[in-house]
Amino acid sequence: MTLLIALIAIGLVAVSAWWLAIGRARDLRGKGRLNSLPAYHGVHTLLWALLPALLMLAVWAPIQTTLVNQAVLASAEGKALPAFDMQRDAILDEARQIAAGNIDHGYNPQSEQLAPRFSEAESRYGAIGGGIALLLTFAGAALALRRVVPEFRARAGVERWIQALLVAASLIAILTTLGIVLSLLFESLRFFKLVSPVEFLFGTSWSPQTALRADQAGSSGAFGSVPLFWGTAFIGAIIAMIVAIPLGLMSAIFLTQYSPPRLRAWLKPILEILAGVPTVVYGYFAALTVAPMVRDFGLAIGITSASSESALAAGLVMGIMIIPFVSSMADDSIAAVPQAMRDGSLALGATKAETIKKVLLPAALPGVVGGVLLAVSRAIGETMIVVMAAGLSANLTANPFASVTTVTTQIVQLLTGDQEFDSAKTLAAFALGLALFVITLILNLIGLRVVRKYREAYE
Amino acid sequence: MTLMNEIHAPVPADIDEPPADANRAPKMSARDVSVFYGDKQALNGVSIDIRDDRVTAFIGPSGCGKSTFLRCLNRMNDTIPSARVTGKISLDGQDIYHSNMDVVQLRARVGMVFQKPNPFPKSIYDNVAYGPKIHGLASSKGEMDGIVEKSLKRAGLWDEVKDRLSESGTALSGGQQQRLCIARAIAVDPEVILMDEPCSALDPIATAKIEELIHELRGRYAIAIVTHNMQQAARVSQRTAFFHLGEMVEYGKTSEIFTNPRERRTQDYITGRYG
Ligand SMILES: Nc1ncnc2c1ncn2[C@@H]1O[C@H](COP(=O)(O)OP(=O)(O)OP(=O)(O)O)[C@@H](O)[C@H]1O
Ligand SMILES: [Mg+2]
C-alpha cells in the first residue's frame, strides 16, 4: 500500500518536473540558441527524477522483506513461534497473507496474532523506503532542473541514460543465464555428495527409485546415466538425423536450385511451419500415430520385441521436427556459395545435379555440418516428443524397436509428482540437467564456430 | 532516323568481304538477337558472325549489353530466370536455342571465361580435370594427367604450378587464377571461347600474359572477348564490334574501327568522349 502511494507520488513529481523543465527551456529559447531542444531538457529531467528512485525501490524491496521478517520475529509474538524451520515458515507465511488481506483466517491461531505485527512492520519499512525514493525523486528533479540552461547538452545526457538502459537490458539476459548455470551447479554438487560422479557418468544402470522409508521394499537407487545419454543420442543424434539430414538437405537443394521462384515462395514458409508446430503436438502425433505404426511394422517383419514406445517412433518424429533447422541452414550455406562458382561449373557443360554435387555441396559442407550440430543440440534437449513416445525404461540397446528413455524424459519423471527436495532422486534431475546443458553448450559452440568460419571463407 | 536504319542493317558489310579463307562458314552467327530482362530490353537486334580464324572483340560503355550478348552465345542467360532471348543464334549452322539442342553439350563446345577469376575451391589439378571428368574425355588417370598438363601449358601456367598441383586453386594470385580458369575452359576442348573482360582484375604483367595466350589460341579456337581496354582490343583482335545502349552500332576490321570509324558514336567512344 505504502509502496503504491510512493510510486504515485514519484510519478506525479517526475511529471511536474518534466513539465517545468520544458517550460523553462522554452522561456530560455527567447534569449538565444539552446544547445538542446526543450523536449530533450524535459526528458532529461524526467529520467533523472524517475530512474534513480525506481532503481532504489527495486533494490529496497528484497531488503524490506528481510527487515520485516526480522522485526516480526523480534516481537513478543514472534519469539513465541515454534523453533522448527518449516512450521515457523508456514505460520509466518499465513500471517503475511492475512496482513495483505489475501485470506481472512489462518489455519494456525498464532498467525492471526502475528498479522498485526506484519502490517506494522510493513507500513513502517514501506514508509522508509518510499520516503527515501521520494527524496531521490525530488533531488534528481532539482538537480536536473538547475541544469536547464542554454549551453547544457541535454541531448547527450538523454543519450547516456538510454545507453545505460540498453546495457542493463542485455545484462539481465546474461545474468539470468549465469544464474541458471549457478543454480544447476549448486544442486548438482549436492547430488554428487550423495552419489559419486564416477557412478553417475559411467554407471550403466539407472533406477532412481530410492526407498522412502527404511522398511520399504524397493531398489536402493542406481544412478548410472549412461543408458539415458545413450537413449538421448540414439533418438536425437542418430535416428532423428538419419531422417532430417537427407530430407532437409534435399529440400534445401530443391528450394534453392530447382524450384521456380513462385513455388519457392510457397514452399519455404510451409516448410518453416514445421518449426512452429508446438512440440506437444509432435509428441502426440508420435505417440498416437507413428508409434503404433512402427510397432506393427516391427511385428510384421518378425521383431517380437517391438514395443509400442519405441526409439524409432520418437526419432522419426523428432527428425521431421528438425527438418526445417537443417534445411534452412543448408539453404543459407548453399545460397552463400558465390553465383560465380555455379556459373563456372555450368559454363563447363556440367548439369545442375553435377554442379550441386561437385561444387555447391563441397563448398557448402562446413555450413551444413555446423547446421547439423545445432540441430543435434536442439534434438537432444527436446522433451515433449520423447516424454510421450520414447518410454521410461532405461535400456542400453541398439534395437530401434525397443523402448529407450532419454535424459529429458527422466528429468520430467524425477521432478513431477511429490518430491523431497533433498533426496538423491530429485537432485539427480539437476545433475542430468547440468550434463545436458554442458553437452548442448559444446555442440552449439562448435556448430556456431564452424558456421562462422565458413561464412568468412567467401568474404 | 538514318542512323537507326544503319544500326538495323542485318549484317555489317565487311563480314562478307573476302578474307583469306572466304569459303569457310562462320563458326557462330547471330541474327537479330534481342534480350529482355523481365520487361526491360537489354539488347536490340544484334547480328554478327564469329569466325574461328579470328579474335572478335566487343567494346562499348558499361551496361550496353556486351556481357548479355556473350552469355547468349552459350546460353548462360538460361540461368537468369527473368531473361528472355529472341532471334537466332547458330553454331555450325545449328540453332542453339532450338528445343533439340543439348544445352550441356553446347556449353562444352562453347566455353566461357568470366570477368572475375572463379576457380573452384579444389586443387589446381581438380580444377582443370573438372570438365574432362564430367564429359568423360579421359579413360585413364594417365590420360587425365596428360589433359591437365596440356591445358595448363597452353594457358601458360604449367611452369608456375607444376610442383604444386594439389594445392588449392583459390590460393593462386589473381592472374594465375584467371589463367587457371582459361586452362579449365580449354581442357574441355571447346570450339569457341568466350571471354568476358578476362583482364579487368589483373595487373599489366598478368594482362600481357593473357594477351599472349590469346594470340597463341587464335586459329585453334573461335575467340570472342569483351574488353573495356581499347589498346587491348586493338592488340588482340582482328574484328571489333562496338555496342551502345543495347545495340550493335558498328562492326568491322579492328584496324578500321580504331582508325576510321564510320559512326559518330564509335568515334566518340574510342576517343574517350564517353564511357
Ligand atoms: N540479371 C539481370 N537482370 C536484370 N537486368 C540485367 C541483368 N544483367 C544485366 N542486366 C541489364 O542489362 C543491361 C546490359 O548489361 P550487361 O551486363 O550486358 O552490360 P555490359 O555491357 O556487360 O556492362 P559492363 O561493361 O559494365 O560489364 C544493363 O542495363 C543491365 O542493367
Ligand atoms: Mg559485363
Side-chain angles (χ1 to χ4, degrees):
Chain A
M1 221 33 220
T2 28
L3 190 69
L4 191 66
I5 293 171
L7 277 178
I8 292 174
I10 290 170
L12 284 178
V13 172
V15 169
S16 5
W18 169 69
W19 200 70
L20 264 175
I22 292 186
R24 261 203 196 189
R26 286 226 176 98
D27 290 345
L28 283 176
R29 202 149 58 167
K31 293 177 197 152
R33 225 178 96 79
L34 286 185
N35 176 289
S36 308
L37 292 176
Y40 274 111
H41 282 283
V43 173
H44 182 250
T45 310
L46 183 76
L47 288 171
W48 267 104
L50 220 49
L51 292 183
L54 291 183
L55 200 68
M56 188 268 155
L57 279 183
V59 175
W60 176 254
I63 298 177
Q64 179 178 334
T65 317
T66 336
L67 290 176
V68 167
N69 272 344
Q70 270 173 13
V72 171
L73 285 176
S75 67
E77 289 88 343
K79 287 202 177 105
L81 283 178
F84 180 51
D85 260 358
M86 270 161 85
Q87 239 170 330
R88 198 179 58 188
D89 287 349
I91 296 173
L92 278 175
D93 208 46
E94 232 173 35
R96 191 179 299 123
Q97 298 283 347
I98 296 174
N102 291 345
I103 52 176
D104 290 338
H105 300 289
Y107 174 75
N108 198 310
Q110 271 180 307
S111 62
E112 292 192 23
Q113 295 167 6
L114 215 51
R117 300 286 91 75
F118 253 109
S119 310
E120 282 164 23
E122 255 169 17
S123 56
R124 179 154 21 98
Y125 288 113
I128 294 177
I132 297 178
L134 201 57
L135 270 179
L136 275 177
T137 307
F138 275 116
L143 204 75
L145 274 174
R146 271 192 32 189
R147 294 170 86 176
V148 182
V149 288
E151 61 273 19
F152 178 62
R153 280 175 281 175
R155 252 170 101 187
V158 171
E159 191 72 20
R160 270 196 295 279
W161 271 113
I162 287 176
Q163 232 176 50
L165 220 66
L166 296 178
V167 169
S170 48
L171 269 185
I172 286 175
I174 294 170
L175 289 179
T176 311
T177 318
L178 209 67
I180 292 174
V181 175
L182 283 181
S183 86
L184 269 180
L185 212 60
F186 181 69
E187 301 290 344
S188 304
L189 282 180
R190 284 176 64 191
F191 172 73
F192 287 127
K193 272 183 202 140
L194 300 172
V195 177
S196 95
V198 177
E199 188 205 330
F200 176 73
L201 287 178
F202 302 108
T204 56
S205 151
W206 176 266
S207 95
Q209 221 40 271
T210 40
L212 287 177
R213 294 187 312 271
D215 59 328
Q216 202 176 28
S219 44
S220 56
F223 292 95
S225 65
V226 170
L228 308 191
F229 282 101
W230 162 248
T232 304
F234 191 38
I235 293 177
I238 300 177
I239 300 176
M241 290 306 136
I242 289 176
V243 175
I245 293 174
L247 290 183
L249 209 55
M250 284 192 234
S251 42
I253 289 172
F254 174 74
L255 284 178
T256 54
Q257 304 299 313
Y258 286 93
S259 101
R262 223 180 281 160
L263 189 62
R264 178 182 157 94
W266 275 94
L267 283 182
K268 214 169 140 67
I270 292 178
L271 192 65
E272 271 152 16
I273 287 177
L274 277 182
V277 175
T279 53
V280 196
V281 176
Y282 279 115
Y284 65 66
F285 177 61
L288 301 182
T289 313
V290 179
M293 272 161 46
V294 165
R295 184 202 49 209
D296 293 346
F297 176 74
L299 293 175
I301 62 169
I303 296 172
T304 48
S305 63
S307 144
S308 64
E309 292 179 322
S310 59
L312 192 55
L316 284 177
V317 174
M318 199 183 282
I320 303 282
M321 183 189 85
I322 294 297
I323 286 176
F325 289 81
V326 176
S327 82
S328 81
M329 285 304 291
D331 193 325
D332 286 353
S333 37
I334 290 175
V337 178
Q339 178 70 31
M341 219 61 89
R342 215 164 311 186
D343 285 352
S345 171
L346 292 175
L348 286 171
T351 62
K352 245 178 178 177
E354 283 163 348
T355 302
I356 291 164
K357 199 180 103 209
K358 297 196 167 184
V359 175
L360 290 188
L361 282 186
L365 191 66
V368 174
V369 170
V372 166
L373 286 182
L374 295 181
V376 169
S377 115
R378 171 79 213 272
I380 66 176
E382 162 54 35
T383 310
M384 275 331 282
I385 296 177
V386 285
V387 164
M388 291 171 126
L392 293 174
S393 44
N395 287 329
L396 200 53
T397 171
N399 175 3
F401 293 98
S403 163
V404 298
T405 192
T406 71
V407 176
T408 47
T409 315
Q410 287 302 315
I411 293 179
V412 171
Q413 282 303 309
L414 294 173
L415 289 184
T416 43
D418 291 335
Q419 305 297 336
E420 289 176 83
F421 259 85
D422 48 1
S423 76
K425 184 185 163 199
T426 313
L427 290 174
F430 295 99
L432 286 176
L434 182 66
L436 198 61
F437 178 81
V438 170
I439 291 174
T440 47
L441 187 70
I442 291 173
L443 281 175
N444 273 321
L445 286 180
I446 298 176
L448 286 176
R449 231 194 137 93
V450 171
V451 170
R452 191 166 327 129
K453 201 163 168 190
Y454 161 72
R455 289 235 165 98
E456 285 161 3
Y458 284 114
E459 276 161 10
Chain B
M1 236 10 252
T2 50
L3 200 75
M4 289 299 277
N5 286 337
E6 276 168 25
I7 296 159
H8 282 285
V11 185
D14 76 345
I15 262 190
D16 299 316
E17 155 215 44
D21 44 1
N23 42 356
R24 273 169 72 184
K27 191 72 193 168
M28 295 195 85
S29 72
R31 288 295 173 273
D32 201 22
V33 172
S34 299
V35 179
F36 303 81
Y37 291 113
D39 295 334
K40 193 172 152 271
Q41 184 161 9
L43 215 55
N44 185 8
V46 173
S47 299
I48 193 173
D49 283 346
I50 292 168
R51 309 188 66 103
D52 52 9
D53 48 2
R54 298 168 182 154
V55 175
T56 309
F58 297 148
I59 60 170
S62 193
C64 65
K66 306 178 297 289
S67 300
T68 299
F69 181 64
L70 211 61
R71 291 166 66 89
C72 290
L73 297 177
N74 65 347
R75 291 187 58 174
M76 281 303 283
N77 278 334
D78 292 13
T79 63
I80 300 170
S82 67
R84 192 162 52 83
V85 180
T86 65
K88 189 170 175 223
I89 300 178
S90 52
L91 172 65
D92 283 339
Q94 198 185 359
D95 183 358
I96 66 168
Y97 279 89
H98 194 275
S99 58
N100 65 11
M101 185 76 204
D102 180 358
V103 184
V104 170
Q105 211 49 47
L106 168 73
R107 292 187 189 139
R109 292 171 67 190
V110 184
M112 187 162 206
V113 175
F114 295 84
Q115 173 168 0
K116 233 179 103 200
N118 58 347
F120 303 128
K122 299 172 179 289
S123 73
I124 294 171
Y125 184 98
D126 286 341
N127 261 285
V128 182
Y130 185 87
K133 232 178 243 168
I134 283 175
H135 299 292
L137 299 185
S139 52
S140 67
K141 172 88 172 78
E143 216 172 311
M144 184 62 84
D145 291 348
I147 293 178
V148 170
E149 180 175 343
K150 195 179 77 187
S151 310
L152 283 170
K153 272 185 177 152
R154 273 199 199 158
L157 190 61
W158 175 251
D159 291 332
E160 285 158 71
V161 301
K162 62 170 181 264
D163 299 321
R164 45 174 184 150
L165 290 176
S166 59
E167 273 174 40
S168 172
T170 49
L172 295 172
S173 76
Q176 290 172 328
Q177 285 188 11
Q178 194 60 296
R179 277 178 284 151
L180 178 62
C181 292
I182 294 176
R184 188 174 74 179
I186 55 189
V188 194
D189 203 21
E191 298 156 32
V192 182
I193 297 183
L194 311 171
M195 299 186 177
D196 193 353
E197 301 182 42
C199 302
S200 66
L202 305 184
D203 68 40
I205 296 174
T207 302
K209 281 204 168 131
I210 288 181
E211 286 180 10
E212 201 178 303
L213 173 62
I214 294 172
H215 278 302
E216 269 162 38
L217 297 178
R218 176 165 65 102
R220 226 173 311 197
Y221 308 99
I223 296 177
I225 177 171
V226 171
T227 177
H228 275 290
N229 181 331
M230 299 303 146
Q231 286 80 28
Q232 181 171 63
R235 283 192 299 262
V236 302
S237 71
Q238 288 74 51
R239 288 290 183 278
T240 296
F242 172 63
F243 284 70
H244 185 229
L245 297 177
E247 293 171 347
M248 194 178 77
V249 176
E250 188 166 351
Y251 172 89
K253 285 185 175 157
T254 299
S255 52
E256 278 169 22
I257 294 264
F258 278 94
T259 53
N260 188 18
R262 273 171 288 130
E263 292 288 337
R264 182 63 203 269
R265 284 190 281 173
T266 316
Q267 177 150 26
D268 284 352
Y269 181 68
I270 286 166
T271 53
R273 216 151 301 163
Y274 56 64

